Amino acid sequence: MARMKFLCDSDRCIECNACVTACKNEHEVPWGINRRRVVTIGDGKPGERSISMACMHCTDAPCAAVCPVACFYGTEDGLVLHDKDLCIGCGYCFYACPFGAPQYPRVGNFGGRGKMDKCTYCAGGPQQDNSAVEYMQYGSNRIAEGKLPLCAEMCSTKALLAGDGEIIASIYKERVQQRGYGSGAWGWRTAYKEELPA
Amino acid sequence: MMRLLAALLLLPLSGALAQQQSGEPSGGAPSVQSAAPEVGAGRGGTGNANQPASSDPQSVTGGPRPERVAPKPRVPVEPITAPVPYSARGGVEAGALEAQHAEKGGVISGAVSIPNQAAGILIQPEGRDWRGFRTRILSIAGAVILLGTVFILAGLYLLRGPQRIDAGRSGRTIHRYGVFERMNHWMVAVSFVLLGLTGLNITFGRAVLRPVIGAEAFTALTWTGQAVHQFLSFPFVIGLLAMVVLWLRDNLPSKVDVAWVKAGGPMAKGHPPAGRFNAAQKALYWFVVGGGILASVSGYLLMAPGLLDNVTSQQWAHVVHGLMAMVMMAAIIGHIYIGTIGTEGAFEAMATGQVDYNYAREHHSLWVDDRLAEARRTAVGAD
Ligand code: HEM
Ligand code: SF4
Ligand code: SF4
């Protein structure tokens, strides 16, 4: 099976936040939680660049390593998903995650964390695919329908790429070759222990 | 048409129309009927502005204007640098930047346009170090410290056995702890043990308990355990503060403690003199108060993440909490041993408030002297 990854070409990202909006809308993500966000480095200065970031579905995922109740599981596509019925909202995955992907509703005792929510790569959770209960907990399951994540699908500049890691890496390499520059694949070194040429 | 004509006739003819008709004989219906839009008050004019009749340049109104002076450049002139060619802009390279941050620490962050400003942290390689702390250091060191303490104490008990009251029981008792002191002690003790057990479940339950009882049951247990951990923090902290008030005076270090330690402390031949608390008990007291405060503060920071909206600080809070919890538990295991099976006659102090007179003589001679002197004084006073 393919190893699914995200890649954000920061030389193309125009910080329009369409991916953020698409994600919120597709999964009806609650107020206060952002599964995807756009971070602008050096905002307003020459050389500023924006990167759309969500869960990178890491190889040897740190979140899964530290979870005290071991509620994470991997899929055939290399995705890192979690079971909200098992999560206790301790926050450890957020401490360990290099990308700040895990988010929590503030519903626990004393304003503490509720069950963790993060990007599912539009692949839902352990419930029956595309069932109502899966939608309520994790949002829609586009992967089960044979579709790619909506954020990347509707990126107007095709800065955000989703799909098989090798294919999107080759698309990116081709772009770099053609235009003669590129700042690399953000997060790839940290998430996949792999770098793409700049 | 008739209505429009009538309306035009009724218009006050002082303004736009009059101007437009200049050159024409006035009076009668105007031959040109396209009414130019009036420039009136509602349009920002003064109400009777003139409509230009031609596009010839108009003379300036309002008198002569002062000549504009071009702004002079600041001295010295700062040259505006030409923009860098696009391909060379901001030579950051993701892989290199990540490698550098992974090496030196620190987060890669920027601006976000969502309310959660903490989301501006793009990559925090420190998560890797914290993961190492959680999965290796804390669990291995915790297991070693706790099991090591248990083994050492078991060995001590088997080799040396409990410390007996040398003179045997006298049959008379002396009052050592009041009812409030004892209740407070047990409140702290019970909450500490439950905090410890529920905490250890967080640390080791995944490896020890989960495979045995299954994922669902383990989450149910841990979910409850977490709530117990959070709610019992309050009696623990309140009791700890009460201990500060109740026992601070008797735990201030003194010269007697130095002598007690020099004589060999618990290993000493015979019993070196000590006050109400000996140096080891005082050390435990300060350790529990200090460690308890650290564990509580860091615990509350973990419990209410709104207090610390920054992942790096939260990692540190966890490190402090985890380490403090482990060493305190080890110390308290030692305390429990000494207070129960390790020392004959010690447990009844916290159970009934009374200890055997000989026990008190041997372990807390100076305190007994004080108590006796005070008893004599009050007895004399009562005479
Ligand atoms: C008094 C205030 C305390 C508070 C508010 C507090 C709160 C917390 C919180 C929020 C956690 C994170 C895990 C979770 O959310 O379930 C935690 C973990 C833990 N606590 Fe406490 N705690 C307190 C005192 C203690 C004490 C006195 C001990 C030791 C006896 C202790 C032992 C632990 C342990 C061992 C962990 C797990 C650490 C790990 O494995 O990562 N706690 N505590
Ligand atoms: S990005 Fe974060 S949440 Fe996603 S797999 Fe990696 S560590 Fe886990
Ligand atoms: S918040 Fe939930 S998913 Fe994250 S580490 Fe804790 S229990 Fe696991």
Side-chain angles (χ1 to χ4, degrees), chain A residues 62-72 82-84 86-95 102-104 113-117, chain B residues 130 206 219 222 226:
Chain A
C63 52
V66 298
C67 176
V69 294
C71 75
F72 290 88
H82 71 295
D83 187 341
K84 282 196 183 183
L86 296 183
C87 170
I88 57 164
C90 67
Y92 285 9
C93 46
F94 174 68
Y95 305 158
Q103 309 273 302
Y104 307 86
R113 299 176 168 102
K115 288 179 185 295
M116 187 271 276
D117 189 275
Chain B
W130 182 82
R206 173 178 172 173
T219 280
T222 312
Q226 190 187 37

Side-chain angles (χ1 to χ4, degrees), chain B residues 174-250:
Chain B
I174 179 168
H175 182 69
R176 185 151 165 81
Y177 293 116
V179 68
F180 187 71
E181 283 173 306
R182 276 177 286 145
M183 269 168 40
N184 187 56
H185 173 270
W186 289 117
M187 178 171 82
V188 173
V190 170
S191 37
F192 184 88
V193 169
L194 289 173
L195 280 167
L197 289 177
T198 51
L200 287 177
N201 181 49
I202 296 275
T203 317
F204 300 111
R206 173 178 172 173
V208 178
L209 221 51
R210 191 178 188 270
V212 182
I213 64 174
E216 274 84 31
F218 180 64
T219 280
L221 178 84
T222 312
W223 184 265
T224 316
Q226 190 187 37
V228 168
H229 200 90
Q230 296 183 345
F231 282 99
L232 282 185
S233 69
F234 298 105
F236 176 74
V237 170
I238 292 168
L240 203 68
L241 295 178
M243 282 182 177
V244 172
V245 175
L246 285 173
W247 292 335
L248 183 83
R249 250 196 53 200
D250 291 324

Side-chain angles (χ1 to χ4, degrees), chain A residues 11 15 17 20 31-32 34 36-43 46-47 49 51 53 60-62 64-71 83 85-90 92-100 103 106 109-113 115 180-191 195-198, chain B residues 84 86-100 102 108-116 118-128 130-131 134-135 201-203 205-206 210 215-216 218-219 222-223 226-227 230-231 233-234 301-306 309-311 314-315 318:
Chain A
D11 297 292
E15 199 198 350
N17 280 288
V20 177
W31 174 248
N34 278 78
R36 181 169 282 289
R37 68 203 191 276
V38 178
V39 178
T40 305
I41 297 180
D43 195 11
R49 56 183 66 247
I51 298 116
M53 185 59 84
D60 180 24
V66 298
C67 176
V69 294
C71 75
D83 187 341
D85 289 336
L86 296 183
C87 170
I88 57 164
C90 67
Y92 285 9
C93 46
F94 174 68
Y95 305 158
C97 174
F99 306 107
Q103 309 273 302
R106 293 264 165 90
N109 301 325
F110 318 109
R113 299 176 168 102
K115 288 179 185 295
Y181 58 87
S183 68
W186 290 83
W188 274 43
R189 185 185 190 277
T190 310
E195 283 178 48
L196 291 187
Chain B
V84 201
Y86 189 76
S87 56
R89 272 186 208 175
V92 280
E93 203 274 296
L97 199 63
E98 284 169 45
Q100 182 194 329
I108 303 172
S109 64
V112 283
S113 50
I114 53 174
N116 177 13
I121 295 179
L122 181 70
I123 303 176
Q124 56 113 5
E126 275 112 334
R128 202 186 37 165
W130 182 82
R131 169 194 178 168
R134 178 60 178 62
T135 53
N201 181 49
I202 296 275
T203 317
R206 173 178 172 173
R210 191 178 188 270
E216 274 84 31
F218 180 64
T219 280
T222 312
W223 184 265
Q226 190 187 37
Q230 296 183 345
F231 282 99
S233 69
F234 298 105
L301 292 178
L302 292 176
M303 191 167 103
D309 232 352
N310 171 310
V311 68
Q314 285 173 351
Q315 287 165 348
H318 173 270

Side-chain angles (χ1 to χ4, degrees), chain A residues 107-171:
Chain A
V107 296
N109 301 325
F110 318 109
R113 299 176 168 102
K115 288 179 185 295
M116 187 271 276
D117 189 275
K118 76 169 185 67
C119 158
T120 64
Y121 207 88
C122 289
Q127 308 283 2
Q128 173 71 41
D129 282 348
N130 285 316
S131 57
V133 56
E134 185 192 45
Y135 185 78
M136 232 171 65
Q137 284 186 310
Y138 308 96
S140 72
N141 189 340
R142 292 170 53 87
I143 294 290
E145 294 168 348
K147 300 173 187 161
L148 283 172
L150 190 63
C151 50
E153 289 286 86
M154 65 184 289
C155 174
S156 58
T157 61
K158 286 286 166 272
L160 186 61
L161 302 173
D164 180 84
E166 276 171 24
I167 297 175
I168 57 175
S170 72
I171 293 175

Side-chain angles (χ1 to χ4, degrees), chain B residues 63-154:
Chain B
R65 287 193 181 158
E67 200 152 297
R68 284 268 181 94
V69 186
K72 288 215 179 75
R74 261 182 267 141
V75 184
V77 182
E78 278 176 46
I80 299 170
T81 46
V84 201
Y86 189 76
S87 56
R89 272 186 208 175
V92 280
E93 203 274 296
L97 199 63
E98 284 169 45
Q100 182 194 329
H101 280 265
E103 197 78 13
K104 289 199 208 130
V107 300
I108 303 172
S109 64
V112 283
S113 50
I114 53 174
N116 177 13
Q117 288 300 306
I121 295 179
L122 181 70
I123 303 176
Q124 56 113 5
E126 275 112 334
R128 202 186 37 165
D129 301 334
W130 182 82
R131 169 194 178 168
F133 169 78
R134 178 60 178 62
T135 53
R136 291 202 205 94
I137 301 176
L138 183 65
S139 46
I140 294 175
V144 168
I145 294 176
L146 294 180
L147 293 179
T149 311
V150 171
F151 276 125
I152 289 172
L153 293 175

